[in-house]
Amino acid sequence: VPRETYMAVKMAIDAGYRHFDGAYLYHNEHEVGEAIREKIAEGKLWATDHVPEMVRPALERTLKNLKLDYVDLFIIEVPMAFKPGKDIYPKDENGQWLYHKSDLCATWEALEACKDAGLVKSLGVSNFNRRQLELILNKPGLKYKPVTNQVECHPYFTQPKLLKFCQQHDIVIVAYSPLGTCRNPMWVNVSSPSLLEDKLLNSLGEKYNKTAAQIALRFNIQRGVVVIPKSFNLNRIKENFQIFDFSLTEEEMKDIAALNKNVRFVELLMWSNHPEYPFHEEY
């Protein structure tokens, strides 16, 4: 839909949102930038730009698309690299993914230089497991710690160990797919159960006069997790923000946490053969 992203971001700002998740990969940075300009933006470093000398040009491209002088947050989207180049999803002649060896510490140092240059206020990561976070945290000469780790997190995948580890290191977990509903087969296990049909979430929704989605979002917010639900629907954009006028009880929080099935919707299957694939390890 033409200008769909632009309109959705404007509606979200009007509803009160101040955290926008964007990436070069999504091909809509110009619309996001037009909608927010001097509001709050976040960018992502895509997997073909991990080579240190490509980091700053990638960030500068994002800033040019957004028409902004800086972003508040820039994150490494995945801890695995694709072959550098113009092809976002590089494959060989046999249709096999073309991977590139990651040096996450070198990529991080290039990001630190971007922060020193004033192009970004804070740095973070996404889809990192504990070992990969420790690589950065224990890096000799570390200047800036990751402030966020953006990972899948919802009542069917609560990430308790990773959450505890991140909180110990003052790293905020940002939950993508907090409603567990993304259905792109290239990224997602489409046979996963539907979170929003869950009986407990719906019964709590009836108790509080909220939707199952609002209960799922409130659960994460209440345990210190930032949520970034995706929607182009004005009513749902408003609904997803209306989660600050009630609280779940301690017992209800425990009941929702007990729904955890350790089920990932987003398996990043295109990277499953990469040596740095983060999901081979428990957390």
Side-chain angles (χ1 to χ4, degrees):
V1 181
R3 312 278 287 159
E4 185 177 43
T5 301
Y6 168 76
M7 293 306 297
V9 173
K10 288 199 79 168
M11 289 187 293
I13 292 170
D14 290 342
Y17 289 79
R18 290 298 180 266
H19 181 138
F20 296 93
D21 180 54
Y24 171 65
L25 173 68
Y26 304 158
H27 298 298
N28 61 7
E29 287 178 328
H30 57 292
E31 289 190 40
V32 175
E34 189 178 348
I36 60 175
R37 287 294 178 261
E38 292 168 18
K39 303 285 185 182
I40 294 173
E42 174 198 319
K44 290 198 188 101
L45 183 72
W46 179 234
T48 52
D49 294 314
H50 281 202
V51 180
E53 58 268 25
M54 298 176 76
V55 170
R56 180 163 176 164
L59 174 52
E60 287 174 337
R61 178 185 62 211
T62 284
L63 293 174
K64 185 180 176 187
N65 288 339
L66 292 168
K67 293 190 173 70
L68 293 173
D69 296 326
Y70 69 90
V71 283
D72 286 312
L73 181 63
F74 199 58
I75 68 177
I76 301 175
E77 182 156 14
V78 284
M80 304 137 317
F82 273 149
K83 180 186 175 186
K86 292 193 174 171
D87 193 351
I88 290 176
Y89 296 118
K91 290 183 176 181
D92 65 16
E93 60 276 9
N94 299 315
Q96 298 299 306
W97 298 108
L98 289 170
Y99 297 136
H100 187 75
K101 183 164 171 44
S102 296
D103 183 346
L104 293 172
C105 288
T107 304
W108 190 257
E109 286 175 7
L111 284 168
E112 289 179 324
C114 291
K115 177 168 160 57
D116 283 337
L119 302 177
V120 55
K121 298 285 188 187
S122 297
L123 303 172
V125 296
S126 180
N127 295 304
F128 275 47
N129 60 28
R130 174 179 175 156
R131 180 183 58 80
Q132 290 157 338
L133 285 169
E134 285 178 333
L135 262 181
I136 304 294
L137 293 170
N138 298 331
K139 188 186 82 63
L142 181 71
K143 289 184 81 171
Y144 307 114
K145 280 171 51 173
V147 300
T148 57
N149 185 18
Q150 188 185 116
V151 295
E152 178 178 356
C153 188
H154 47 73
Y156 283 178
F157 193 63
T158 54
Q159 299 266 31
K161 289 183 178 178
L162 187 63
L163 176 59
K164 186 178 180 185
F165 175 80
C166 286
Q167 287 175 336
Q168 287 169 344
H169 291 273
D170 295 321
I171 298 170
V172 175
I173 290 276
V174 176
Y176 67 68
S177 298
L179 304 176
T181 49
C182 179
R183 281 289 182 260
N184 179 339
M186 191 154 84
W187 295 82
V188 170
N189 179 348
V190 291
S191 67
S192 304
S194 176
L195 175 70
L196 297 185
E197 291 173 12
D198 186 88
K199 285 182 181 174
L200 175 63
L201 298 181
N202 279 281
S203 68
L204 287 171
E206 286 176 22
K207 173 185 172 182
Y208 289 104
N209 197 24
K210 295 289 179 182
T211 64
Q214 287 170 316
I215 299 295
L217 295 175
R218 178 69 205 180
F219 165 72
N220 259 335
I221 287 286
Q222 209 162 305
R223 61 205 282 261
V225 172
V226 171
V227 291
I228 46 171
K230 175 183 175 182
S231 179
F232 292 105
N233 178 297
L234 176 58
N235 288 333
R236 290 206 193 101
I237 287 171
K238 287 181 175 175
E239 259 180 23
N240 290 342
F241 199 80
Q242 290 163 357
I243 56 174
F244 301 102
D245 56 354
F246 77 107
S247 288
L248 297 162
T249 68
E250 208 171 306
E251 201 61 38
E252 288 164 348
M253 288 291 289
K254 283 180 185 168
D255 290 344
I256 297 172
L259 294 175
N260 184 34
K261 303 175 189 292
N262 271 328
V263 169
R264 283 184 192 277
F265 290 87
V266 183
E267 295 180 332
L268 302 180
L269 296 175
M270 68 185 86
W271 274 288
S272 56
N273 295 319
H274 193 289
E276 282 294 309
Y277 183 68
F279 306 153
H280 289 319
E281 298 157 55
E282 189 182 351
Y283 80 105

